Amino acid sequence: MRGLVALASQKSAKRTRNGVLKGEVMKMGIAFIKVAAVYLLVGVCLGLYMGIAEKFEYTAPHAHINLLGWATMALFGLIYHFFPRAGNSKLGKIHFWLHNIGTLALILGMVFFANENEAIALPLAIPGAILVIIATLVFLVNVFQNLENENRV
């Protein structure tokens, strides 16, 4: 019996007040920030290409790359980094994958729309947009379930 009590106290001693193991990587926060940085580069390059080539039909994908890809994912990353209980939860992981898959599908669909290829655009854009909405709902639930005034250690 003493062995179990000692083991339990060791496990609790290794955890911070917010329930995260000391030294544990804030995986979802960092993952969101890294993906956001990639979207930033893609958005800047696309914007430069649009300006030089005067191909402004890519305005919608460009805007969504910068807003859903760069800005929104960077904010998710910061929130999950500073509130690791939410970031490391199952909902945080589900949110990460739904938002990333949905954003990519939506943006690719918009590119096909810009090139007047609706046969490919619709099957990408519609499910992509739905996934982004579902991901946003998952984020909302995650925030209300797992965000508290955490003292970072």
Side-chain angles (χ1 to χ4, degrees):
M1 185 70 164
R2 284 185 183 172
L4 291 174
V5 172
L7 183 62
S9 65
Q10 283 179 346
K11 284 187 177 180
S12 64
K14 292 180 184 176
R15 292 197 176 269
T16 62
R17 280 188 243 176
N18 57 19
V20 177
L21 288 173
K22 287 185 179 178
E24 185 177 345
V25 177
M26 309 305 172
K27 293 179 183 174
M28 289 301 98
I30 291 170
F32 263 120
I33 291 169
K34 287 181 177 182
V35 174
V38 172
Y39 274 107
L40 173 62
L41 177 64
V42 172
V44 168
C45 290
L46 179 58
L48 181 63
Y49 167 75
M50 288 169 50
I52 291 170
E54 296 185 8
K55 293 205 171 230
F56 300 110
E57 62 268 22
Y58 297 114
T59 301
H62 177 252
H64 283 77
I65 287 168
N66 287 318
L67 293 175
L68 284 178
W70 160 237
T72 304
M73 285 197 207
L75 285 171
F76 290 149
L78 290 172
I79 291 166
Y80 284 163
H81 181 76
F82 287 108
F83 296 94
R85 181 179 295 153
N88 293 335
S89 69
K90 186 174 183 178
L91 287 173
K93 290 169 180 62
I94 292 168
H95 172 227
F96 176 83
W97 288 109
L98 287 176
H99 188 85
N100 275 280
I101 293 166
T103 298
L104 184 59
L106 177 60
I107 291 168
L108 287 174
M110 290 179 167
V111 170
F112 282 107
F113 270 122
N115 290 309
E116 299 178 2
N117 193 341
E118 288 186 22
I120 297 173
L122 286 172
L124 285 169
I126 293 172
I130 292 169
L131 283 177
V132 169
I133 291 168
I134 293 170
T136 304
L137 291 171
V138 170
F139 175 70
L140 179 73
V141 170
N142 193 11
V143 164
F144 279 92
Q145 279 186 2
N146 292 306
L147 253 67
E148 295 178 6
N149 290 328
E150 297 183 27
N151 292 325
R152 292 188 46 119
V153 176

